[in-house]
Amino acid sequence: QSVLTQPPSVSAAPGQKVTISCSGSTSNIGSNYVSWYQHVPGTAPKLLIYDTAKRPSGIPDRFSGFKSGTSATLGITGLQTGDEADYYCGTWDRSLSDWEFGGGTKVTVL
Amino acid sequence: QVQLQESGPGLVKPSQTLSLTCTVSGGSVSSGGYHWSWIRQHPGKGLEWIGYIYYSGSTYFNPSLKSRVTMSMDTSKGQFSLKLSSVTAADTAIYYCARTVVTVNRPYDTPAWFDPWGQGTLVTVSS
């Protein structure tokens, strides 16, 4: 059981927006940057967001990251069929002295 | 463009040692500023960070796996490796290697993000 809680699934129609929450505590999200990863099973996971809100080169601005207190959020606007994947948040937990990933959220484009 | 590729046996017997290698191309494992991690995903489950190694040989492991994990690096071959001892069925997973950016801290650097990742390799523990 991860210390970072994500909803198991979210869905929306093409062109719509989805948000994925990642809820933690003061020992992880509350005191560290968050990163987000997109994973299509069978392929290499891809970094989408680092340092909570920054996008690597090549990641479209449809993807955004935000944090408030002990919760982080990934937003995806203009949803496309190619966005169907599992999404994971991650951060350092200073109490566990370990890197933690969220349980993952499956995004479905209706 | 840096690429990573995992390799190793896909089947390991219980109680034996799992050994995997990650080959890095398009960049150097000894370039400063990057650490190199192993991450795994149990079937149908989420991701679990195993630990990292730096080209100097310094390592940090997930406390829950620390007693069974060894990592090493061969800079001449552009490779780093994972050994996990005394495996059980619970170690069956897809194993990924990833380049790691860290936050410099004392007494050890802490991961900040992972990019890029390898495609992953499935390791099954079974007799």
Side-chain angles (χ1 to χ4, degrees):
Chain A
Q1 191 75 359
S2 175
V3 297
L4 303 179
T5 302
Q6 297 181 234
S9 63
V10 297
S11 61
Q16 297 299 302
K17 174 181 179 179
V18 295
T19 59
I20 301 171
S21 60
C22 177
S23 178
S25 68
T26 54
S27 67
N28 42 64
I29 293 177
S31 53
N32 290 289
Y33 290 114
V34 178
S35 52
W36 289 90
Y37 304 86
Q38 177 190 62
H39 185 211
V40 176
T43 69
K46 178 195 295 186
L47 174 70
L48 289 179
I49 298 289
Y50 68 97
D51 283 356
T52 301
K54 298 177 181 177
R55 282 178 288 104
S57 173
I59 300 300
D61 59 6
R62 299 188 299 106
F63 295 91
S64 62
F66 170 79
K67 184 179 87 168
S68 178
T70 59
S71 289
T73 302
L74 174 71
I76 310 173
T77 60
L79 203 60
Q80 302 175 0
T81 55
D83 296 332
E84 286 203 330
D86 298 317
Y87 292 80
Y88 295 89
C89 60
T91 190
W92 183 258
D93 189 298
R94 64 183 183 186
S95 293
L96 298 175
S97 296
D98 179 31
W99 177 274
E100 292 289 325
F101 288 101
T105 298
K106 182 176 181 60
V107 170
T108 301
V109 181
L110 301 172
Chain B
Q1 179 178 343
V2 174
Q3 293 184 310
L4 292 81
Q5 179 66 58
E6 306 86 352
S7 60
L11 181 64
V12 181
K13 289 182 172 15
S15 81
Q16 293 190 342
T17 296
L18 176 160
S19 296
L20 295 174
T21 295
C22 181
T23 301
V24 179
S25 58
S28 173
V29 295
S30 54
S31 60
Y34 294 115
H35 291 50
W36 304 89
S37 288
W38 287 96
I39 297 160
R40 68 181 181 179
Q41 182 176 33
H42 295 101
K45 299 292 180 65
L47 300 165
E48 178 182 34
W49 180 67
I50 299 171
Y52 70 57
I53 185 168
Y54 191 50
Y55 78 93
S56 64
S58 65
T59 55
Y60 185 87
F61 304 136
N62 180 328
S64 69
L65 297 169
K66 182 179 179 180
S67 64
R68 298 194 292 131
V69 173
T70 304
M71 291 186 188
S72 60
M73 181 170 284
D74 187 334
T75 56
S76 66
K77 294 183 178 179
Q79 296 177 332
F80 61 102
S81 298
L82 167 71
K83 289 187 186 298
L84 182 64
S85 64
S86 305
V87 297
T88 69
D91 294 308
T92 293
I94 299 173
Y95 286 77
Y96 299 94
C97 55
R99 189 176 67 176
T100 306
V101 171
V102 302
T103 299
V104 177
N105 279 316
R106 293 282 188 270
Y108 47 81
D109 298 334
T110 56
W113 66 84
F114 307 99
D115 179 56
W117 300 50
Q119 297 264 30
T121 186
L122 174 62
V123 179
T124 302
V125 179
S126 175
S127 56

